[in-house]
Amino acid sequence: MKFIVFSLVALVVLLSLASAETNATIEEKATECLHGSEQVLLFMTDAGLPTQRTNDLFRDAQSAYAVQAALKQGNKSADFSGVLPYCNDIDSIYRTAIDAKDQVTALKKFYQESVTPDINATSADIIIREIDDEMRSERYEKVQPLVDSAYEEIIRLQASHTTLNVFYQSTSRGIKSLVLRHWKGISSFCAVIIFSFIIYRVKILKFLIMRKLRRLELRKKILKDLIIATQKEYFTYGRISEAIYHIRTNKFAELMRDIERQVPLLYEDIAKLERGITWKQQ
């Protein structure tokens, strides 16, 4: 009987020691994570990133730690594990913020190199201003989709500009005088166009789809040229960092995959139009 009582007492003592050791380990982790979070705040400040959100989390972590430290000093049960989630959130925000900053830097450099003064880049400017607002508001997790949209819009503007520039330059000078001299003929021509569309709707729709396919091919060619230029800037001239190189090439490859997904769908639309014509003939 005495042996059983002694064994139970020994077990309780061992469990108490193990619990104390575990609490001590968690307290050390909490202390280390507070120190690490403090360093993260310094890194973010040095990088020019807003830190209001992370500062709030850091103060909450300090408060949680202080409460448990007071309990421990009063010989009461203390649990420092509640400090760790704050540190994890701070680290996650830091990683997201640095990645967002790199992507925004690469995007703006690409914008400066791609958008010439004769391109109306208002739509891309709006997206970039929204990106800047999200960065200032520390909503770093919302930056990635906006950066994707900005790349797509800049490339769309480039493709549109390349396609329309020659036509615009050759026709814009005389269009006003042409309208004034031949307004009756132009009105008749418009009427013919409307009538022709009603009759030849399928052929016109097919032509529009083919034109969209040609534009997609043009965008694809521009993307390939951009990838080659980015490779030269990184490997040959060393003008860009490795991070910007990977961000650009990954983004361009993703946009090319999107184009390749659209092409079969457009060909399927053409096939549907042609099947519609065949059915009517039967």
Side-chain angles (χ1 to χ4, degrees), residues 196-259:
S196 298
F197 178 78
I198 295 172
I199 297 177
Y200 300 106
R201 182 179 63 86
V202 173
K203 290 184 178 179
I204 293 171
L205 290 175
K206 185 176 178 180
F207 168 78
L208 294 175
I209 294 173
M210 292 300 298
R211 187 177 67 175
K212 187 172 183 180
L213 282 167
R214 287 193 293 271
R215 287 180 176 176
L216 288 175
E217 289 298 325
L218 176 61
R219 288 180 63 185
K220 189 174 180 180
K221 181 180 181 303
I222 290 174
L223 284 169
K224 287 180 179 178
D225 292 341
L226 290 172
I227 290 173
I228 293 171
T230 300
Q231 290 172 339
K232 285 183 178 179
E233 285 187 6
Y234 176 63
F235 291 107
T236 306
Y237 306 117
R239 293 174 183 169
I240 59 175
S241 66
E242 183 178 356
I244 291 178
Y245 167 75
H246 285 301
I247 289 170
R248 280 196 194 177
T249 52
N250 289 339
K251 182 56 58 187
F252 296 154
E254 182 181 339
L255 292 173
M256 286 185 66
R257 286 194 295 272
D258 182 61
I259 291 173

Side-chain angles (χ1 to χ4, degrees), residues 38-78:
E38 190 173 14
Q39 294 301 310
V40 165
L41 289 171
L42 292 175
F43 293 152
M44 291 183 73
T45 302
D46 290 341
L49 292 165
T51 57
Q52 182 62 50
R53 183 178 170 191
T54 43
N55 269 317
D56 290 343
L57 286 169
F58 184 62
R59 282 192 290 270
D60 290 341
Q62 287 179 314
S63 298
Y65 185 92
V67 169
Q68 299 305 318
L71 290 173
K72 181 183 176 183
Q73 190 173 5
N75 295 321
K76 296 180 180 179
S77 177

Side-chain angles (χ1 to χ4, degrees), residues 143-177:
V143 170
Q144 173 70 54
L146 290 172
V147 168
D148 293 345
S149 299
Y151 271 114
E152 291 176 1
E153 185 61 21
I154 292 169
I155 292 170
R156 186 191 70 78
L157 290 171
Q158 280 185 310
S160 298
H161 178 72
T162 303
T163 304
L164 298 175
N165 192 43
V166 175
F167 175 79
Y168 175 79
Q169 289 178 355
S170 62
T171 58
S172 59
R173 295 175 184 174
I175 192 167
K176 184 176 180 180
S177 60

Side-chain angles (χ1 to χ4, degrees), residues 47-108:
L49 292 165
T51 57
Q52 182 62 50
R53 183 178 170 191
T54 43
N55 269 317
D56 290 343
L57 286 169
F58 184 62
R59 282 192 290 270
D60 290 341
Q62 287 179 314
S63 298
Y65 185 92
V67 169
Q68 299 305 318
L71 290 173
K72 181 183 176 183
Q73 190 173 5
N75 295 321
K76 296 180 180 179
S77 177
D79 182 7
F80 290 87
S81 61
V83 178
L84 303 180
Y86 292 109
C87 299
N88 293 334
D89 288 344
I90 290 171
D91 183 65
S92 177
I93 291 172
Y94 170 67
R95 293 175 184 276
T96 306
I98 291 296
D99 182 61
K101 181 179 172 64
D102 288 342
Q103 293 202 42
V104 172
T105 300
L107 171 66
K108 289 184 175 180

